[in-house]
Amino acid sequence: MPRLILSRAAAAGIDPNRLAREAGMPSWLLADKTARVPSDYYPKLWELLEHTTGDPNSTLRVVGGYRVGELGLFDYLISTADTLGEGLEVVGPYVGSVSSNFRMDPGEQTETESTFNLYMINAEGRGRDLSIQSSLGILVSRIRQMTGRPIDPVRVAFAQRAPARHDAFTEHFGTATLDFGAPVDSMTYRLADFELPHVTADPMLAAVLRRYAAAMPPPPPRATEWPDRVAGVLEQLIDDAEPALDQVARRLFTSSRTLQRRLAESGTSWKLEVERARKRHLEQPAPAGVDRLGAPR
């Protein structure tokens, strides 16, 4: 995935070696075309590309030119499936073949629509926003190419703040409703679209590739670090008055907004974590001679 960015930088007349050095990538890593690139370089490269071009829409312009096959095994695992639905089922189990920094899990399902939630394990700030844009943008481009149809999602939700202008988002995501400041990054498609056949289907090749991919390391588990850290702080504060979100955020050296986003990415919320902490506190045995409310007995 970092090499995709570097190839686009070169096509735009930007020295990819300089961009890689500024991101901290060692020269030997650039020379070895088979090496797995550490995931923290990816968001850094998107930020550097945006800064170098001076174009806040550089990421969406890059993914607009993406072609199926550029991400190797992962692309072919999806594109060789018979239908769009079957191809999307491959994303979750095999995303580790292209990145150890993402998860895509099922979200809300209705009788007519299906939502996929995208989680990024290791990234912050603008680099994270651009990485999410690229992943959701590539998914849309891939679906259009595999089905041979100009399919637009129903909705696309971004945790990032709304940009000053939406033109580039509308151009890429088409008629989809765009939501910014959402608790989780996600994309929603119509269930009817899942029945569409792939013009790239190849059942025999699909079987071979899936056997190969199954031998690769699995994708990382969803991050639990933030709920665990919040639980640790709440354990210290729960005896006091109602713990405040900003108080816990300060102890974890982050902002209230970021903390809420991290909890949402981990499938929980501030309110739920406070309720769990209070329940754990009440279930703890009281010291001898003292009732649960602290009064002698």
Side-chain angles (χ1 to χ4, degrees):
M1 294 177 78
R3 290 189 181 93
L4 173 67
I5 305 172
L6 294 175
S7 68
R8 292 302 192 275
I14 300 169
D15 181 1
N17 294 309
R18 178 177 64 82
L19 206 66
R21 286 194 301 271
E22 290 179 359
M25 292 176 64
S27 56
W28 66 264
L29 196 54
L30 288 173
D32 187 348
K33 301 301 182 185
T34 63
R36 299 269 285 188
V37 179
S39 60
D40 54 349
Y41 294 132
Y42 185 61
K44 289 179 184 176
L45 285 170
W46 279 126
E47 279 196 88
L48 287 167
L49 181 65
E50 179 183 65
H51 177 75
T52 304
T53 61
D55 179 7
N57 299 314
S58 58
T59 298
L60 290 174
R61 298 191 200 288
V62 165
V63 301
Y66 155 86
R67 292 294 174 265
V68 171
E70 290 190 78
L71 295 181
L73 174 63
F74 187 61
D75 274 356
Y76 293 118
L77 281 166
I78 300 171
S79 63
T80 54
D82 286 338
T83 64
L84 176 56
E86 183 184 332
L88 290 174
E89 288 177 1
V90 172
V91 174
Y94 296 120
V95 69
S97 67
V98 71
S99 174
S100 62
N101 204 19
F102 289 95
R103 282 195 67 93
M104 182 171 280
D105 293 339
E108 182 181 359
Q109 313 293 311
T110 71
E111 292 184 357
T112 59
E113 298 175 352
S114 180
T115 298
F116 295 89
N117 296 333
L118 183 64
Y119 300 94
M120 194 166 186
I121 314 297
N122 178 32
E124 291 282 354
R126 185 60 176 166
R128 181 192 183 280
D129 294 345
L130 298 176
S131 298
I132 293 293
Q133 286 180 29
S134 71
S135 295
L136 294 178
I138 284 175
L139 180 60
V140 169
S141 294
R142 184 188 289 120
I143 286 173
R144 290 168 179 163
Q145 293 173 54
M146 292 186 307
T147 60
R149 304 190 187 195
I151 303 171
D152 294 336
V154 178
R155 286 182 302 281
V156 185
F158 298 94
Q160 71 172 82
R161 288 183 294 181
R165 297 178 62 91
H166 297 179
D167 307 43
F169 287 86
T170 301
E171 180 180 352
H172 188 80
F173 295 103
T175 58
T177 299
L178 301 174
D179 295 327
F180 295 93
V184 178
D185 299 287
S186 66
M187 183 176 292
T188 303
Y189 272 91
R190 301 169 188 85
L191 288 176
D193 291 336
F194 290 2
E195 303 301 321
L196 294 173
H198 280 175
V199 298
T200 54
D202 188 334
M204 292 183 65
L205 180 56
V208 172
L209 293 177
R210 291 183 193 185
R211 285 197 299 270
Y212 174 74
M216 301 185 70
R222 184 183 298 175
T224 58
E225 177 186 2
W226 283 95
D228 289 345
R229 293 172 66 185
V230 168
V233 175
L234 287 175
E235 186 177 355
Q236 302 170 24
L237 300 177
I238 204 69
D239 282 329
D240 300 335
E242 182 74 12
L245 173 62
D246 59 347
Q247 181 184 17
V248 173
R250 284 195 301 272
R251 292 202 179 198
L252 294 174
F253 304 101
T254 189
S255 67
S256 299
R257 178 183 174 84
T258 297
L259 181 57
Q260 287 179 304
R261 190 183 77 224
R262 290 303 189 193
L263 291 174
E265 290 170 353
S266 299
T268 183
S269 67
W270 165 251
K271 181 179 179 181
L272 183 56
E273 290 307 311
V274 171
E275 290 176 354
R276 286 173 174 168
R278 187 176 292 110
K279 185 173 183 293
R280 286 193 300 268
H281 178 67
L282 292 174
E283 290 175 348
Q284 291 177 355
V290 178
D291 66 20
R292 186 65 270 170
L293 299 177
R297 64 185 180 194

